């Protein structure tokens, strides 16, 4: 019986690494995993995790999703000449007042999170269509479903990914290809350590007014508390990925953290959004309406 070929982006750490290890270590060896990362110098952690259990189940490949030729090279190097399950997991975050963000930095975030994801799907989609089967799983975010202050560019990128996946899900049913978004909240991974974050002492903060800087300081304190209280482990997220992979009829969205669902539900239910904005202000800044400090 042929193995199910899985290609995963962003496997140097976090969710991508954990998912690659879980699938490659499956005792039944039903998966062949192509674990990709931009910098192969970071593959040691992945190799240490799988040890000798991956000889027939995993290859580690260099792939930079911001360069089309890099993706093509991986596609052409896959021994089975097909990908049954594509997992678009690579991404990067950006936190800070909008006034402090350079155009170059904003472009980098959009290049990775939006165009990198689109470029990867675009490359492997024709093969899936030709075979009349396939799965596309994308690491989404609660920030793609609701706006978060000081995450404007990150949320913009994740909102865009939501639109891409939702649009494709409608079309790809005609080709027996299922698209699923794994909607994550805070996760204890290197994503936080690698976050592009405006620090309180950064010179770029001078571009923002004093009130914005004060609210940003409050936001950073809230984030630290939220990660302590609500953050999940990568293994918890992997279980949700497995649910989507093993489902006969996968859902479009899988939510990994029920703690944040009430605010998402409120946003979707509120026609004009005003109640959601007030609720988010109370949740993050402990104030009843924007402007009350």
């Amino acid at each position: 019986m042929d193995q199910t070929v899985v290609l995963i982006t962003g496997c140097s750490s976090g969710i991508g690494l954990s998912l690659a290890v879980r699938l490659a270590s499956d005792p039944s060896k039903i998966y062949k995993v192509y674990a990709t990362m931009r910098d192969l110098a970071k593959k040691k952690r992945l190799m240490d995790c799988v040890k000798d259990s991956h000889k027939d189940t995993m290859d580690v490949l260099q792939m930079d999703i911001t360069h089309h030729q890099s993706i093509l090279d991986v596609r052409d190097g896959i021994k089975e000449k097909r990908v049954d399950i594509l997992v678009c997991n690579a991404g990067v975050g950006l936190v800070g007042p909008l006034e402090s963000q350079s155009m170059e930095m904003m472009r980098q975030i959009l290049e990775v999170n939006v165009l990198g994801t689109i470029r990867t799907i675009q490359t492997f989609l024709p093969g899936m269509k030709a075979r009349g089967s396939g799965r596309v799983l994308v690491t989404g975010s609660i920030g793609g479903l609701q706006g978060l202050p000081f995450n404007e560019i990150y949320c913009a990128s994740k909102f865009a990914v939501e639109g891409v996946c939702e649009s494709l899900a409608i079309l790809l049913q005609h080709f027996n290809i299922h698209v699923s978004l794994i909607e994550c909240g805070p996760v204890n991974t290197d994503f936080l350590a690698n976050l592009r974050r405006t620090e309180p002492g950064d010179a770029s903060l001078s571009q923002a007014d004093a009130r914005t800087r004060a609210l940003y300081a409050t936001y950073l304190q809230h984030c630290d508390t939220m990660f302590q209280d609500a953050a999940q482990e990568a293994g918890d997220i992997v279980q949700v990925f497995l649910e989507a992979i093993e489902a006969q009829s996968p859902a479009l969205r899988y939510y990994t953290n029920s703690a944040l669902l009430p605010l998402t539900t409120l946003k979707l239910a509120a026609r004009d959004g005003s109640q959601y904005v007030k609720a988010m202000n109370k949740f993050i800044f402990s104030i009843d309406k924007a402007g009350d400090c």
Side-chain angles (χ1 to χ4, degrees):
M1 182 177 177
D2 290 339
Q3 290 175 300
T4 299
V5 179
V6 185
L7 186 140
I8 309 172
T9 68
C11 290
S12 62
S13 64
I15 296 169
L17 183 151
S18 297
L19 180 60
V21 170
R22 174 64 180 81
L23 295 179
S25 303
D26 190 295
S28 63
K29 295 189 176 184
I30 61 173
Y31 298 106
K32 172 60 180 293
V33 177
Y34 286 91
T36 74
M37 59 188 71
R38 184 179 61 85
D39 183 3
L40 283 182
K42 296 181 178 181
K43 73 176 183 178
K44 183 179 185 302
R45 189 191 306 183
L46 174 61
M47 302 308 294
D48 287 345
C49 288
V50 293
K51 295 183 171 51
D52 295 326
S53 64
H54 72 287
K55 293 179 180 178
D56 302 319
T57 59
M58 189 175 76
D59 285 345
V60 182
L61 302 176
Q62 191 278 334
M63 187 168 87
D64 184 345
I65 65 171
T66 67
H67 289 88
H68 192 205
Q69 189 58 50
S70 178
I71 304 173
L72 292 175
D73 290 344
V74 168
R75 182 199 64 183
D76 295 342
I78 291 175
K79 299 168 188 174
E80 295 82 1
K81 300 303 178 185
R82 74 179 195 280
V83 169
D84 301 306
I85 300 174
L86 174 64
V87 180
C88 294
N89 169 71
V92 63
L94 178 66
V95 172
L98 187 63
E99 300 94 317
S100 70
Q101 309 300 346
S102 69
M103 191 60 66
E104 179 183 0
M105 180 61 71
M106 291 188 286
R107 284 198 181 101
Q108 288 178 15
I109 300 304
L110 296 173
E111 183 68 37
V112 174
N113 293 356
V114 183
L115 295 179
T117 299
I118 292 172
R119 194 179 286 115
T120 304
I121 296 173
Q122 188 181 50
T123 300
F124 292 97
L125 196 56
M128 291 184 177
K129 283 184 172 180
R131 291 188 302 276
S133 67
R135 300 277 180 99
V136 178
L137 284 77
V138 178
T139 302
S141 169
I142 204 74
L145 300 171
Q146 59 190 61
L148 301 170
F150 303 114
N151 286 263
E152 293 84 4
I153 305 306
Y154 176 72
C155 286
S157 71
K158 287 299 187 178
F159 267 73
V161 168
E162 292 286 323
V164 169
C165 291
E166 190 171 310
S167 300
L168 283 173
I170 298 168
L171 171 68
L172 295 181
Q173 281 197 341
H174 296 276
F175 296 87
N176 192 33
I177 300 170
H178 298 278
V179 178
S180 294
L181 285 147
I182 312 300
E183 311 288 15
C184 304
V187 185
N188 285 318
T189 68
D190 285 355
F191 181 84
L192 184 62
N194 297 328
L195 186 71
R196 317 287 175 86
R197 180 170 122 165
T198 304
E199 299 297 342
D202 288 355
S204 61
L205 264 182
S206 64
Q207 302 296 318
D209 58 273
R211 190 183 189 89
T212 299
R213 294 197 299 270
L215 288 168
Y216 182 52
T218 301
Y219 170 80
L220 291 179
Q221 292 174 358
H222 169 81
C223 282
D224 291 340
T225 301
M226 184 170 65
F227 265 92
Q228 290 174 7
D229 296 344
Q232 296 176 285
E233 298 301 323
D236 298 327
I237 311 302
V238 167
Q239 287 302 120
V240 182
F241 269 96
L242 292 175
E243 180 184 347
I245 288 171
E246 295 169 358
Q248 290 286 333
S249 299
L252 172 60
R253 290 186 176 88
Y254 291 83
Y255 301 95
T256 70
N257 193 331
S258 60
L260 298 175
L261 273 179
L263 283 168
T264 305
T265 303
L266 176 62
K267 179 203 168 181
L268 296 174
R271 181 171 296 181
D272 65 1
S274 58
Q275 292 301 316
Y276 166 73
V277 171
K278 290 178 181 178
M280 282 298 290
N281 265 295
K282 188 172 184 179
F283 176 61
I284 293 177
F285 300 117
S286 297
I287 57 179
D288 291 329
K289 62 181 179 180
D292 291 345
C293 293

